[in-house]
Amino acid sequence: MKSPRLAATLAAALVAGVVSAAAPATATGPTAPRPAAATPVAANGQLTVCGTKLCNQRGKAVQLRGLSSHGTQWYAGCLTDGSLDALAGDWNADVLRVSTYVQEGGYASDPRKFTDLAHKFIDMASARGMYVIVDWHMLDPGDPHANLARAKTFFTEIARRHQGKNNIIYEIANEPSSVSWSRIKSYAEQIIPVIRNIDADAPVLVGTRAWSSFGVSEDGDEKEVVNNPVNAQNIMYTFHFYADSHREEYLDTLARAAGKLPVFVTEFGTQNYAGEGSNDFAMAQKYLDLMASKKISWVNWNFSDDDRTGAVYKPGTCEAGGPWTGTSRLKPAGAWIRERVRTPDDF
């Protein structure tokens, strides 16, 4: 998420110009949900990076689709047995991203509390057969080195507690900004060994420059990563987009990067970069079509009832305890993304 949204997360948002969630099906648009069968983890087992793709235990390239939590300091109440049953069973999601904010009233304010919350939600998603992205949601300050010691402590405990699981994916820096790629690379090369010394097999996701845009939001591009990759194996690079703000330049960057690097889109929305305003479903579908064609896994922001148009549930849903299934409590963006999460990949 871009800083203007994060800085005002608790403020009331302008929910304006929302277009209809009804959209025609495309090749990668709405279809019937996949038949009840093995869970995503049972079907795919331990994931690994093979070339530029994410592959399952049989070496088959797969595309995961799912949702990200909001910050657990604000919206932990949206992750319940009922809501996660719906995410796994009604939405047929493959992956949940558990977002532990570092600042903004998050981990730095009470490391024990927020580490325990991460453990709780990892276990809940794991029990439902989903993959889990453990998101170290650093945003401000934009240099991940500012929280290096905290990150080492957090990931050491997470890896130790969950090292027996085959569904964990580590996202070590959400959205670096105003910092060089070499500085981000240095951070990654210090954090990855901390995880690898405990969990040798899990994929690790590395944030890219300029709010995980491969540098585009600060006048760069993917070549800085292509020419100077992180010195580690079984890693992917993250890319974030918000369709109403991030147009063809971003789409083209993602297409080029995915031809040379393993990419995982760990955050996107159909609105502007702040997760607010109108939904541009047509532009978002262009991204989804590209990601389907290149087997780029994705996670939508966000699985909560925040006031913003980018939160899938209507305000008050979490406090009321649902209903979680179907579309009656979904905003237009929620109904739209639910149908696309339900579209099955060929595992």
Side-chain angles (χ1 to χ4, degrees):
M1 309 169 75
K2 301 300 174 280
S3 52
R5 173 154 52 110
L6 272 287
T9 299
L10 294 181
L14 296 176
V15 182
V18 180
V19 301
S20 171
T26 69
T28 58
T31 68
R34 63 167 165 255
T39 67
V41 175
N44 292 292
Q46 179 65 62
L47 301 175
T48 190
V49 180
C50 53
T52 61
K53 308 299 183 187
L54 185 63
C55 294
N56 66 16
Q57 62 189 351
R58 296 178 298 280
K60 179 180 176 62
V62 296
Q63 183 193 37
L64 303 185
R65 307 177 193 190
L67 272 289
S68 177
S69 78
H70 207 314
T72 54
Q73 73 272 46
W74 300 306
Y75 291 96
C78 293
L79 299 177
T80 68
D81 284 331
S83 71
L84 292 185
D85 282 346
L87 187 62
D90 181 49
W91 293 57
N92 293 328
D94 305 313
V95 56
L96 173 69
R97 183 185 189 230
V98 176
S99 292
T100 299
Y101 281 63
V102 187
Q103 275 73 45
E104 300 184 81
Y107 177 91
S109 70
D110 192 339
R112 182 72 269 143
K113 173 184 176 180
F114 290 103
T115 305
D116 286 345
L117 277 176
H119 289 318
K120 174 184 176 180
F121 298 135
I122 291 167
D123 285 340
M124 290 173 70
S126 299
R128 289 158 176 81
M130 289 188 284
Y131 289 95
V132 183
I133 297 173
V134 183
D135 166 32
W136 183 245
H137 206 88
M138 53 72 55
L139 183 78
D140 185 15
D143 183 351
H145 280 270
N147 288 296
L148 178 62
R150 291 185 177 113
K152 287 181 176 180
T153 298
F154 176 76
F155 283 115
T156 295
E157 179 167 338
I158 294 293
R160 284 176 176 164
R161 174 77 71 87
H162 302 283
Q163 63 181 313
K165 295 181 173 70
N166 64 351
N167 66 320
I168 308 299
I169 302 169
Y170 297 91
E171 184 175 0
I172 59 174
N174 166 59
E175 287 187 348
S177 63
S178 301
V179 65
S180 68
W181 167 245
S182 62
R183 184 83 170 153
I184 301 166
K185 178 176 180 286
S186 168
Y187 166 84
E189 290 174 352
Q190 293 180 66
I191 291 294
I192 292 171
V194 170
I195 297 169
R196 290 277 183 259
N197 287 340
I198 304 165
D199 186 344
D201 299 323
V204 173
L205 310 180
V206 178
T208 60
R209 192 166 69 84
W211 298 281
S212 286
S213 70
F214 282 111
V216 180
S217 290
E218 293 174 357
D219 300 319
D221 62 35
E222 77 287 351
K223 289 193 291 294
E224 62 190 24
V225 181
V226 172
N227 294 334
N228 188 23
V230 171
N231 184 23
Q233 301 300 312
N234 203 26
I235 67 168
M236 307 186 84
Y237 300 93
T238 66
F239 184 83
H240 295 175
F241 69 87
Y242 285 83
D244 195 46
S245 293
H246 300 141
R247 314 301 294 180
E248 277 71 15
E249 181 183 11
Y250 288 78
L251 182 67
D252 293 344
T253 298
L254 176 59
R256 292 193 309 269
K260 298 178 180 179
L261 299 165
V263 180
F264 199 126
V265 172
T266 56
E267 189 177 311
F268 81 91
T270 57
Q271 313 78 30
N272 68 20
Y273 66 86
E276 301 173 354
S278 301
N279 291 292
D280 190 334
F281 293 132
M283 188 67 192
Q285 189 64 54
K286 289 183 180 180
Y287 276 102
L288 264 62
D289 290 343
L290 171 67
M291 292 188 290
S293 71
K294 292 184 176 292
K295 290 282 189 182
I296 301 171
S297 295
W298 53 255
V299 176
N300 178 255
W301 185 273
N302 72 76
F303 194 66
S304 82
D305 62 354
D306 181 12
D307 287 341
R308 291 166 177 76
T309 46
V312 298
Y313 286 108
K314 296 175 182 177
T317 302
C318 297
E319 185 177 2
W324 305 111
T325 58
T327 60
S328 67
R329 293 297 302 170
L330 295 178
K331 295 174 188 168
W336 189 88
I337 201 64
R338 173 179 173 270
E339 287 305 306
R340 282 143 182 88
V341 172
R342 296 176 96 205
T343 306
D345 188 24
D346 176 18
F347 291 151

